[in-house]
Amino acid sequence: MDTDTHEDDFRSRAREAVLAAVRGLVLALVMMPVTLLCLVLTLVSLELLLVGVGFLLAPWILGGLRNYANTRRRLAEEWCGVRIPVTYRPVPAGAGPWTRTVTMLRDPQTWRDVRWLPADMTAGFVTALLPALVVFFPLQGLLLPAGLWRAYVSGPADTYWYAFVPVTGEATAVLAAALAAALLVFAHRFAPRLLTAHFRLTRAVLGGDQGELVERVRVLTETRRHAVDTSAVELRRIERDLHDGAQARLVAMGMDLGTIEMLVERDPAQAKRLIAQTRRNSAEALEELRDLVRGIHPPVLAERGLGDAVRALALRLPSATEVSVELPGRAEAPVESAAYFAVSEVLTNAVKHSGADRIWIDVHHDDGRLRITVTDNGQGGAAVGPGSGLAGIERRLGTFDGVLAVSSPAGGPTMVTMEIPCVLS
């Protein structure tokens, strides 16, 4: 059993070493020409700014540079787990060439991208090529004792150098093969780490010293602004509902009670009718106050938690709904409230716009994240856009570092996934 485990581990490491070598070759031989092209085009566009033409070219070229840098960021994370933060300042939507160019040139990350290009062509090229060298170069050395060394010499007095070993005959060819075997052992263990070193060098130049901190501050500033705006909207809604609903009914009840005082002796029958009407108004006012409180923080959510609150939402839907909940505990009250109202908004959209007759809700907690998935069999076409309900949900979740993902092809089905990092008590 142990032997099988060691063999599997050996094969796994060998595959990782070969994969690192191939990826290093891709970076060194395929990506480097692209890096050179980006550098040349960037320098040309910056020079053309002096004559005005650059303001038409620079936005496209700098945008292409951003896309290329983001591709390398993605490869760094997918291939070696090295995360390089993205800290670009957003370019205003619909901005003209002048505004786009000035915005990009004022962005410190743009100049980090430009400085990264020559670094990637020099030190980056070497570090990308190293995994391939330590994996493939030993293969040549292992073949030297088989007579391959003779192909590299033209006469008996010639010498072929394999690294620092002079190969002049079979004995020295065996020494070269021994060195190749040692290199191969080194490659078997360290080739993936050499590729990781390449991406760490990329992160050091491309990411900046405070890239993650800058990005975090930007995200927190944006989510704080959205949270303040959302709170102001909610406050205005509460004030409007109180003024137009319960407050108006209570004022009417006060007037009716005054009328009843005057009629109770002169016209008891009319007074009884007004008392009955006042009783109905009081019940309706109480119901409106309950709805208002439920809209602020539903009692079922406070008393029984998110799972039962979502089940209560599902019971009020006209569509057939299945709910699956796996929560071993409860999240903090603000997180539960945000998740509840996000689910409520998604379900409202599904009922109003999708034409779905069946909805599935899955709520569970895994890897430190609360995950909620709402799926319907409607007509699809839902998208996160400015002014849409889904955009509001995204902003609400963003306050808690949550994310929203929507899959809604034309014809359906629609799947909305929400994730909020949190711990359960």
Side-chain angles (χ1 to χ4, degrees), residues 176-393:
L179 174 62
L183 287 174
L184 203 57
V185 172
F186 175 85
H188 179 266
R189 189 172 188 85
F190 293 103
R193 299 186 187 182
L194 292 175
L195 187 64
T196 301
H198 165 82
F199 285 120
R200 285 178 177 169
L201 172 65
T202 302
R203 180 175 62 186
V205 182
L206 195 58
D209 295 334
Q210 298 181 335
E212 293 187 8
L213 180 59
V214 171
E215 173 67 8
R216 181 63 177 160
V217 170
R218 185 189 67 79
V219 171
L220 287 176
T221 302
E222 184 176 348
T223 55
R224 182 187 64 182
R225 177 170 56 81
H226 288 319
V228 172
D229 293 343
T230 301
S231 298
V233 171
E234 288 295 318
L235 182 59
R236 288 194 295 269
R237 181 186 66 82
I238 293 171
E239 292 175 345
R240 183 181 64 251
D241 290 346
L242 283 174
H243 182 272
D244 297 341
Q247 179 178 327
R249 292 188 183 278
L250 291 174
V251 170
M253 287 170 55
M255 297 173 62
D256 289 343
L257 288 174
T259 304
I260 290 170
E261 283 182 334
M262 293 185 295
L263 294 177
V264 68
E265 294 182 357
R266 291 183 301 169
D267 192 349
Q270 180 66 17
K272 288 181 179 180
R273 286 194 293 271
L274 284 177
I275 290 173
Q277 180 180 337
T278 303
R279 185 184 300 111
R280 289 193 299 270
N281 287 340
S282 67
E284 291 175 358
L286 180 60
E287 184 63 26
E288 289 180 356
L289 287 173
R290 286 174 177 170
D291 291 340
L292 182 62
V293 171
R294 192 179 297 115
I296 299 173
H297 194 75
V300 66
L301 180 63
E303 296 170 4
R304 303 179 61 179
L306 180 61
D308 286 340
V310 171
R311 291 189 181 98
L313 280 176
L315 290 175
R316 296 199 295 267
L317 296 178
S319 305
T321 306
E322 297 181 16
V323 182
S324 173
V325 178
E326 293 183 12
L327 296 177
R330 295 192 60 174
E332 295 181 350
V335 174
E336 283 192 335
S337 179
Y340 172 85
F341 286 110
V343 173
S344 177
E345 181 72 20
V346 171
L347 293 176
T348 301
N349 290 341
V351 171
K352 286 185 177 179
H353 306 299
S354 72
D357 58 9
R358 197 165 190 82
I359 301 174
W360 296 266
I361 307 173
D362 178 70
V363 183
H364 67 280
H365 187 270
D366 185 31
D367 293 334
R369 286 180 171 269
L370 174 65
R371 290 187 174 90
I372 305 174
T373 302
V374 179
T375 307
D376 66 65
N377 63 349
Q379 61 189 2
V384 180
S388 70
L390 292 176
I393 296 172

Side-chain angles (χ1 to χ4, degrees), residues 30-231:
V30 178
M31 293 293 183
M32 288 307 135
V34 180
T35 301
L36 176 61
L37 179 63
C38 287
L39 179 60
V40 172
L41 292 177
T42 300
L43 294 178
V44 170
S45 67
L46 294 178
E47 291 180 356
L48 290 177
L49 289 175
L50 300 176
V51 295
V53 182
F55 287 99
L56 298 176
L57 297 177
W60 301 101
I61 294 175
L62 293 178
L65 175 58
R66 286 188 176 190
N67 293 334
Y68 178 56
N70 284 332
T71 299
R72 296 293 289 273
R73 289 185 177 94
R74 189 182 71 252
L75 293 179
E77 186 166 7
E78 292 178 356
W79 287 358
C80 294
V82 177
R83 185 178 179 277
I84 304 175
V86 181
T87 57
Y88 295 111
R89 294 177 182 176
V91 178
W98 170 271
T99 304
R100 293 177 61 195
T101 301
V102 171
T103 302
M104 289 183 174
L105 292 179
R106 286 181 176 177
D107 189 348
Q109 184 59 53
T110 297
W111 298 106
R112 280 195 289 268
D113 290 352
V114 175
R115 290 195 299 269
W116 163 70
L117 293 174
D120 192 50
M121 293 169 53
T122 52
F125 176 79
V126 174
T127 54
L129 200 57
L130 278 177
L133 288 176
V134 298
V135 170
F136 298 125
F137 184 58
L139 300 181
Q140 179 199 13
L142 294 176
L143 295 175
L144 291 177
L148 181 63
W149 64 275
R150 292 188 177 88
Y152 300 111
V153 297
S154 57
D158 289 342
T159 300
Y160 170 68
W161 288 86
Y162 180 79
F164 55 84
V165 177
V167 179
T168 57
E170 287 298 324
T172 51
V174 171
L175 288 176
L179 174 62
L183 287 174
L184 203 57
V185 172
F186 175 85
H188 179 266
R189 189 172 188 85
F190 293 103
R193 299 186 187 182
L194 292 175
L195 187 64
T196 301
H198 165 82
F199 285 120
R200 285 178 177 169
L201 172 65
T202 302
R203 180 175 62 186
V205 182
L206 195 58
D209 295 334
Q210 298 181 335
E212 293 187 8
L213 180 59
V214 171
E215 173 67 8
R216 181 63 177 160
V217 170
R218 185 189 67 79
V219 171
L220 287 176
T221 302
E222 184 176 348
T223 55
R224 182 187 64 182
R225 177 170 56 81
H226 288 319
V228 172
D229 293 343
T230 301
S231 298

